Amino acid sequence: MTSLLGHPAGGEGIGYSFSQPTAAPVKQHGFYPYTDNGGSTLGITGSDFAILAGDTRSTSGYNINSRMVPKVFKIGGDDETGEGAHIVLSVVGFAADGNALKERLDAVVKMYKYQHGKPMSVSACAQRLSTILYQKRFFPYYVTAILSGLDEEGKGALYSYDPVGSYEREQCRAAGAAASLIMPFLDNQVNFKNQYIPGSGEGHALEQKKAEPLPQATVEQLVRDAFTSAVERHIEVGDHLQMMIITRDGIQEVFHPLKKD
Amino acid sequence: MDHFPGTWGRPRNDVYGAYDPTYLQTTGPKTHTSSPAVTGTSVIGVKFNGGVVLATDNLASYGSLARFTDVKRLRVFGDNAVVGFGGDVSDMQYIDRLLESIDIRENYSTHGNMLNAKNLHTYLAKVFYKRRSEFNPLWNHVLVAGFDVDGKPFLSSADLLGTTFSAPHLATGFGAHLAVPILRRRFPEEMPIEEITREEAVSALKDCLKVLFYRDARSIDKYSIAVITKEGIDLKEDEQIEGQSWAFAERIRGYGRQTN
Amino acid sequence: MFRNNYDNDAVTFSPQGRIFQVEYAQEAVKQGSVVVGLVNKTHCVLVGLKRNAEELSSYQKKIIEIDSHMAIAIAGLASDARVLSNFMKQQSLGSKMTYGRPIPLDRIVGQIGDRAQTNTQHYGKRPYGVGLLVGGVDEAGPHLFEFQPSGLTHEMSACAIGARSQMARTYLERNLDKFMDCSRDELITHGLRALKETLSQDKELTVDNTSVGVVGMAAEGAKGRIESFKLYEGQETVPLLEALEQSESAGAGEGESMEVDS
């Protein structure tokens, strides 16, 4: 149309605004869809059990939202109480994503049982969780997940994830705000890192103490110690400790008080 | 006047400046809310023995301008659920219409509207989360008050990101800083809500509103308060903060007339 | 079977105002083996008679759990029932997800009713060849609904559909006043007795062919609000069948006196 009007190109005479609308500059969005709700989680397995734990504090910035927002969930239970579940998931990071992730996995496990007439194995569930996370590779669920249960042989199984779905099976894992405080403690106390057998060699060339599965009572105490220590040094961790203890008899859920400061 | 009829009567750039064609743009990326426009400030709520109280002031601000001074920010859903809205007022009105349509649909069923406050909160959190995931947020932070399926008092929060949490007393926005400490002092967390009377809860919220009015520049001294019990909802929308004392202002130093 | 002019599709009325395809679909329900459902104040019980196509084959499933608060019993084309049950499962999970509540029964029954009706009004579609008994509990207590291929749904106190179900219905009608206040176990026995009425002379209720499903409100002091759906099949039905036998021997005299009365 512009050329039909015979309007001369700019540069001479009086200018008029006839130029075709140019594409508007792409506006940067002012909305950030994530937040960090703090908190920490921890899982340790034994030969015939697994424990998954987390604190129950929810924060935004320096505010405490609530002192009782659990991060550890039963997956695939028969009803609202979670009865009949044999898999446990913990999520820490952005709580809304965590909840969405939990509900999706829960629905998947329920549908699996409905369609196949048998409960989903922990290893299958672990693989599925990885897929769910990876499907949102470019708009991730901003959470660190830990999945736990008993494997086909009845041994404690624990899988840890990054937000986009890479995962591995481990003996123990800490995640969330105080992960960097708890994990070294676990390395030392569960995998016996830097522990040497006295008198097993010359000078400092000592033999490493070999890691072996710990008894349940020891692990429970380790978890509680890990959290009481984390609470001392991290402001986003505290209020209550929620523990899910998975054995062949089912899942036992217990709460312990933590410092509220 | 020039010899190009197409330019006759058109604004000249040397007089009016170049026209910015982006204003007429119909194509281009779809835009979403990236900041709220007209906003409401804090919502505060407390559970007590047999119910929940919720309160907001009646102001809708446009930036720092006190734009609308008679906006009801407590919305009733069904027989015993109330939603208190903070944040964008147009989004509040959208959600209100949404809830209205759900209420109507629900009432067609044989047993009437059976969605309780907890169901409502779950639903609202899902709506918020869905919209934030589409990068088109509903810019609100709400408190939902009422009862859960067992008939126990229920008070929970949901925000524009879909974050949810529940506690015996809650406050959004400025209230999280100013009201929560007051509420926590009156009703320590280990205190069971059965020991809190309705009168105590109401008077605590009134005091919180007063403190918020003193210190939150986006607040006003007209407020709404809703008491939700099994008997129903007692909603008052034209209340006035009583017993103000600005004596403390005399002692404020550091700006204005007393600079030190 | 004689040929009818107005039965080529499900969207054409006969001059008498009938839709033959829908009626034929209802015949499919009558061909299916019988299922019985009944409710009292706290529970809903579904019982079904399973059939095996031949001696060596497995028995066809009659009761399908939809969710912890709801199940369906089917009579007719099992594959059509599967479509409906998948749909119901989806809806139920959806309701749990969006509202955090178990879907009210009248709501979901309305939805499958609407779906079935659609099939009777669109060219190229066929009605579902299955009837359902939808049993479960929601906020308002236990419910039992009957669903027909026409899309018709009714809330029932007790109901039986499928082959020879008239015998069961007769039993249910005669004993209706006893159901409301009876116990959970008595309700199961009533269901089984109704089921037994439909059997032909040479048939028996066995652990192989009997299916029982129970769902109800939780007993006082129990964990959770509802007693989740439980399906009894195979050896689990032994105590239920024993209770049936006991009630029959106990009620034998009473039964005879009733005959005399009438």
Side-chain angles (χ1 to χ4, degrees):
Chain A
M1 283 312 278
T2 316
S3 61
L4 270 180
L5 293 167
H7 180 70
E12 56 182 77
I14 304 155
Y16 295 90
S17 295
F18 283 121
S19 56
Q20 283 296 326
T22 47
V26 178
K27 274 189 210 152
Q28 210 23 271
H29 233 289
F31 173 64
Y32 187 66
Y34 295 114
T35 189
D36 184 357
N37 297 107
S40 233
T41 57
L42 160 60
I44 304 177
T45 60
S47 55
D48 58 350
F49 69 93
I51 294 183
L52 201 49
D55 69 323
T56 65
R57 178 174 289 184
S58 162
T59 64
S60 44
Y62 289 134
N63 282 327
I64 296 175
N65 291 329
S66 172
R67 300 193 189 280
M68 192 34 97
V69 180
K71 293 178 189 47
V72 193
F73 307 101
K74 294 176 187 172
I75 296 295
D78 298 328
D79 51 27
E80 300 85 84
T81 60
E83 205 71 27
H86 66 290
I87 298 174
V88 174
L89 172 74
S90 74
V91 278
V92 64
F94 175 32
D97 271 351
N99 268 315
L101 181 65
K102 171 205 78 177
E103 287 189 3
R104 268 189 69 180
L105 192 68
D106 190 54
V108 162
V109 174
K110 278 181 175 150
M111 281 311 284
Y112 183 101
K113 194 176 176 192
Y114 170 75
Q115 278 165 343
H116 298 87
K118 63 178 184 191
M120 197 174 196
S121 71
V122 181
S123 61
C125 187
Q127 173 65 57
R128 188 70 183 85
L129 178 56
S130 169
T131 323
I132 291 172
L133 288 165
Y134 192 76
Q135 275 173 352
K136 273 173 69 71
R137 174 65 179 77
F138 296 108
F139 184 24
Y141 287 117
Y142 219 136
V143 291
T144 321
I146 302 175
L147 190 78
S148 191
L150 300 180
D151 66 12
E152 272 96 339
E153 295 164 27
K155 292 190 180 120
L158 184 131
Y159 296 85
S160 68
Y161 296 78
D162 79 348
V164 287
S166 69
Y167 78 113
E168 66 174 328
R169 186 170 171 180
E170 292 181 294
Q171 289 302 314
C172 65
R173 170 58 66 184
S180 55
L181 277 63
I182 298 175
M183 205 59 217
F185 171 72
L186 260 34
D187 287 337
N188 182 248
Q189 290 296 307
V190 179
N191 293 322
F192 297 147
K193 290 284 159 63
N194 298 100
Q195 291 200 44
Y196 298 94
I197 300 160
S200 61
E202 288 295 310
H204 289 292
L206 296 176
E207 204 183 313
Q208 268 272 359
K209 189 175 169 189
K210 253 181 70 188
E212 49 194 40
L214 299 168
Q216 189 177 322
T218 312
V219 171
E220 273 180 51
Q221 197 52 51
L222 274 180
V223 170
R224 295 184 63 174
D225 288 348
F227 272 93
T228 27
S229 306
V231 167
E232 291 293 331
R233 288 287 183 177
H234 203 117
I235 55 167
E236 291 174 359
V237 184
D239 296 330
H240 300 275
L241 172 62
Q242 179 200 16
M243 265 207 259
M244 295 271 201
I245 303 161
I246 309 136
T247 60
R248 73 166 72 90
D249 304 323
I251 301 169
Q252 191 201 354
E253 184 178 18
V254 284
F255 286 91
H256 295 292
L258 290 173
K259 282 170 76 171
K260 291 186 163 60
D261 57 3
Chain B
M1 179 91 107
D2 58 30
H3 306 286
F4 303 107
T7 67
W8 297 349
R10 294 225 176 214
R12 283 162 47 172
N13 284 2
D14 59 336
V15 178
Y16 296 99
Y19 179 71
D20 178 3
T22 57
Y23 283 109
L24 265 182
Q25 200 117 31
T26 49
T27 55
K30 193 180 162 206
T31 48
H32 292 147
T33 314
S34 53
S35 63
V38 178
T39 59
T41 180
S42 321
V43 188
I44 51 182
V46 192
K47 287 200 246 187
F48 64 88
N49 186 19
V52 195
V53 213
L54 213 54
T56 62
D57 68 24
N58 290 352
L59 180 67
S61 311
Y62 181 64
S64 56
L65 172 71
R67 182 65 183 82
F68 304 105
T69 55
D70 191 21
V71 174
K72 315 314 199 242
R73 298 197 284 124
L74 295 180
R75 300 296 166 106
V76 171
F77 178 80
D79 297 329
N80 15 33
V82 175
V83 188
F85 287 88
D88 194 282
V89 170
S90 67
D91 285 346
M92 169 184 89
Q93 290 168 346
Y94 166 77
I95 293 171
D96 198 34
R97 290 196 294 276
L98 197 68
L99 296 185
E100 177 101 12
S101 70
I102 290 171
D103 189 31
I104 290 170
R105 193 188 66 204
E106 201 68 11
N107 270 298
Y108 276 107
S109 97
T110 335
H111 306 285
N113 186 350
M114 293 194 299
L115 288 172
N116 56 41
K118 194 174 182 188
N119 301 143
L120 178 65
H121 174 260
T122 310
Y123 174 75
L124 276 178
K126 291 279 148 65
V127 173
F128 282 127
Y129 184 74
K130 181 168 183 289
R131 289 289 293 264
R132 84 98 216 188
S133 298
E134 292 166 354
F135 274 83
N136 187 17
L138 290 165
W139 215 287
N140 300 101
H141 191 162
V142 303
L143 297 188
V144 184
F147 297 94
D148 66 10
V149 70
D150 299 316
K152 290 207 292 274
F154 175 86
L155 175 63
S156 201
S157 144
D159 71 5
L160 67 164
L161 295 176
T163 317
T164 58
F165 46 86
S166 180
H169 35 68
L170 283 173
T172 73
F174 230 92
H177 298 97
L178 291 187
V180 167
I182 297 171
L183 295 171
R184 192 185 291 153
R185 171 159 295 180
R186 299 255 180 116
F187 315 120
E189 269 137 4
E190 55 276 11
M191 182 179 186
I193 64 158
E194 285 75 21
E195 288 175 19
I196 304 170
T197 67
R198 173 181 174 152
E199 290 68 31
E200 284 170 335
V202 169
S203 99
L205 283 201
K206 285 182 181 174
D207 289 351
C208 289
L209 286 166
K210 196 190 309 186
V211 171
L212 282 166
F213 178 53
Y214 286 153
R215 284 292 180 174
D216 179 358
R218 308 284 180 268
S219 70
I220 200 175
D221 56 354
K222 306 219 172 18
Y223 67 93
S224 306
I225 189 162
V227 184
I228 305 117
T229 58
K230 277 286 165 49
E231 284 68 51
I233 299 162
D234 178 17
L235 174 63
K236 299 200 195 83
E237 292 184 312
D238 285 301
E239 301 295 287
Q240 166 78 35
I241 292 176
E242 310 277 353
Q244 293 174 37
S245 163
W246 289 89
F248 72 92
E250 296 285 319
R251 294 188 295 278
I252 293 176
R253 291 287 185 276
Y255 61 90
R257 293 177 61 182
Q258 298 101 352
T259 44
N260 45 51
Chain C
M1 206 166 169
F2 85 83
R3 165 118 189 121
N4 198 311
N5 274 329
Y6 295 94
D7 67 353
N8 283 314
D9 55 61
V11 300
T12 311
F13 278 109
S14 82
Q16 288 78 37
R18 297 160 62 180
I19 299 172
F20 286 111
Q21 279 297 326
V22 173
E23 293 184 20
Y24 299 163
Q26 269 153 345
E27 286 304 311
V29 179
K30 289 181 195 163
Q31 308 271 335
S33 70
V34 65
V35 286
V36 178
L38 55 172
V39 278
N40 66 8
K41 277 185 183 144
T42 56
H43 284 80
C44 176
V45 169
L46 298 171
V47 297
L49 183 67
K50 288 186 289 186
R51 269 202 299 227
N52 50 350
E54 49 182 298
E55 198 66 11
L56 298 174
S57 80
S58 63
Y59 284 82
Q60 183 59 247
K61 229 176 164 177
K62 294 298 284 180
I63 301 175
I64 303 173
E65 177 176 348
I66 300 297
D67 207 336
S68 57
H69 74 295
M70 169 173 61
I72 56 171
I74 63 178
L77 299 182
S79 34
D80 280 17
R82 214 164 51 231
V83 173
L84 282 168
S85 88
N86 284 343
F87 170 76
M88 292 169 82
K89 177 89 187 168
Q90 295 282 347
Q91 294 297 315
S92 188
L93 271 177
S95 176
K96 279 248 175 80
M97 264 204 178
T98 34
Y99 300 104
R101 66 153 178 198
I103 195 166
L105 262 84
D106 61 341
R107 179 74 52 84
I108 196 161
V109 169
Q111 286 174 343
I112 56 169
D114 290 351
R115 283 193 120 206
Q117 195 280 336
T118 311
N119 288 346
T120 69
Q121 217 183 7
H122 288 274
Y123 190 79
K125 295 205 180 252
R126 83 166 163 77
Y128 290 113
V130 69
L132 305 181
L133 295 180
V134 185
V137 288
D138 61 24
E139 283 281 277
H143 298 282
L144 174 70
F145 285 89
E146 181 194 3
F147 160 88
Q148 293 174 356
S150 58
L152 220 58
T153 59
H154 294 291
E155 173 146 26
M156 310 294 277
S157 327
C159 187
I161 54 171
R164 299 164 61 89
S165 58
Q166 184 54 52
M167 307 293 285
R169 275 201 297 279
T170 308
Y171 175 87
L172 295 172
E173 281 160 20
R174 284 213 179 126
N175 295 281
L176 188 60
D177 49 332
K178 294 178 195 161
F179 298 159
M180 244 334 143
D181 293 306
C182 76
S183 72
R184 171 190 186 277
D185 295 344
E186 283 166 349
L187 196 67
I188 296 174
T189 308
H190 278 302
L192 288 171
R193 284 179 79 163
L195 192 67
K196 200 172 176 185
E197 294 285 326
T198 69
L199 297 179
S200 52
Q201 288 290 314
D202 55 335
K203 279 276 184 71
E204 276 288 341
L205 285 183
T206 69
V207 291
D208 292 320
N209 68 12
T210 312
S211 238
V212 179
V214 189
V215 60
M217 311 298 285
E220 280 300 311
K223 201 179 167 189
R225 291 175 51 78
I226 64 166
E227 178 188 325
S228 291
F229 177 76
K230 167 94 180 99
L231 182 63
Y232 297 88
E233 283 193 310
Q235 288 306 312
E236 284 180 306
T237 58
V238 171
L240 308 180
L241 291 172
E242 276 169 3
L244 168 69
E245 220 162 282
Q246 271 174 18
S247 86
E248 282 183 326
S249 52
E254 183 193 328
E256 270 173 19
S257 66
M258 267 173 59
E259 292 289 321
V260 175
D261 281 350
S262 61

